[in-house]
Amino acid sequence: DQQVKQNSPSLSVQEGRISILNCDYTNSMFDYFLWYKKYPAEGPTFLISISSIKDKNEDGRFTVFLNKSAKHLSLHIVPSQPGDSAVYFCAASAGGATNKLIFGTGTLLAVQP
Amino acid sequence: DVKVTQSSRYLVKRTGEKVFLECVQDMDHENMFWYRQDPGLGLRLIYFSYDVKMKEKGDIPEGYSVSREKKERFSLILESASTNQTSMYLCASSLWASKKAYTEAFFGQGTRLTVV
């Protein structure tokens, strides 16, 4: 059973426009959410996170929004750049010392010049 | 900078071989993880360890075992490699969440394993 879902396998956006990547989760015990970016043949790199006590976190061009009642989060990238083209993974944690992360299936973002 | 290093970028092994994937981290992290990445399935947790000699099964442990004899090193073992274990394997490490309220995991560069 997939606890973290990214329903869009791919997304294509024009350079300079906004990219919106979506993620849904089913486990109400999750209280920390992260986005990772992954290029081919490389490991994922951490992008931005949000805890369940917030509904928004911003870091430069990247903003993550959390809607706890809908069990939904989204990553906004504004403005999108060709270098943002990568696979984006949403991840969630229920906390605890082990800090185990459960990942979604990923969304391939293509930013067209 | 946190560094998580996996011993090989690419491996080709034969069916039935015993395969060792090694991972070393240099930031004194308590937690270490092994994931595999497959198209359409995302990252799935195989095993994790929260302390030396401690291990717990993740979501897909069948056909794998792990070893953590030292804090900085976490090994994934494929006891008898099969073609369905062809995948990208990713190691990660993180602090215990109790030391920092929320903490991200840091990943190695991945090992692309092909079993023929």
Side-chain angles (χ1 to χ4, degrees):
Chain A
D1 183 30
Q2 192 78 26
Q3 297 184 70
V4 179
K5 302 177 186 178
Q6 294 176 256
N7 292 319
S8 298
S10 63
L11 176 68
S12 184
V13 171
Q14 286 294 121
E15 181 178 5
R17 296 293 194 91
I18 184 170
S19 295
I20 300 176
L21 296 94
N22 293 303
C23 179
D24 297 291
Y25 62 96
T26 58
N27 188 342
S28 57
M29 298 299 292
F30 289 147
D31 61 0
Y32 182 53
F33 304 89
L34 309 88
W35 285 95
Y36 280 81
K37 177 180 178 179
K38 186 181 184 299
Y39 294 117
E42 292 185 15
T45 54
F46 170 73
L47 200 54
I48 192 169
S49 63
I50 189 168
S51 74
S52 59
I53 61 173
K54 295 185 175 182
D55 55 17
K56 177 182 173 181
N57 189 26
E58 195 170 351
D59 183 1
R61 295 186 297 116
F62 303 92
T63 303
V64 55
F65 295 92
L66 175 62
N67 182 335
K68 282 190 297 182
S69 60
K71 293 192 177 66
H72 177 84
L73 64 155
S74 61
L75 174 68
H76 292 209
I77 306 174
V78 179
S80 301
Q81 299 173 354
D84 295 330
S85 298
V87 177
Y88 288 79
F89 289 100
C90 168
S93 171
T98 60
N99 198 31
K100 184 174 70 171
L101 295 180
I102 305 300
F103 283 84
T105 51
T107 296
L108 174 62
L109 174 65
V111 180
Q112 310 296 336
Chain B
D1 259 6
V2 175
K3 191 149 189 189
V4 180
T5 304
Q6 295 182 229
S7 52
S8 305
R9 292 295 297 267
Y10 300 95
L11 275 179
V12 180
K13 296 291 181 181
R14 295 195 179 278
T15 301
E17 274 194 80
K18 191 167 186 175
V19 180
F20 293 86
L21 302 182
E22 308 286 346
C23 176
V24 177
Q25 51 94 4
D26 65 358
M27 284 302 291
D28 204 34
H29 284 172
E30 293 84 6
N31 299 323
M32 295 190 75
F33 308 86
W34 277 106
Y35 290 87
R36 62 178 280 180
Q37 182 198 357
D38 300 289
L41 297 176
L43 275 66
R44 293 180 293 166
L45 182 62
I46 304 170
Y47 265 98
F48 65 101
S49 168
Y50 52 90
D51 203 349
V52 175
K53 297 191 185 295
M54 305 305 290
K55 61 186 178 185
E56 285 199 22
K57 294 179 180 179
D59 299 319
I60 50 164
E62 297 79 18
Y64 303 95
S65 62
V66 290
S67 172
R68 190 156 181 213
E69 297 297 317
K70 294 185 177 181
K71 190 175 185 180
E72 67 271 19
R73 187 179 296 270
F74 193 35
S75 302
L76 180 69
I77 304 154
L78 286 67
E79 296 290 343
S80 176
S82 63
T83 54
N84 63 13
Q85 293 178 310
T86 292
S87 186
M88 168 72 91
Y89 289 87
L90 294 157
C91 175
S93 72
S94 72
L95 287 168
W96 275 348
S98 58
K99 290 188 181 181
K100 181 180 173 184
Y102 299 99
T103 177
E104 67 269 28
F106 297 86
F107 281 83
Q109 77 278 27
T111 297
R112 171 67 66 182
L113 172 67
T114 302
V115 182
V116 297

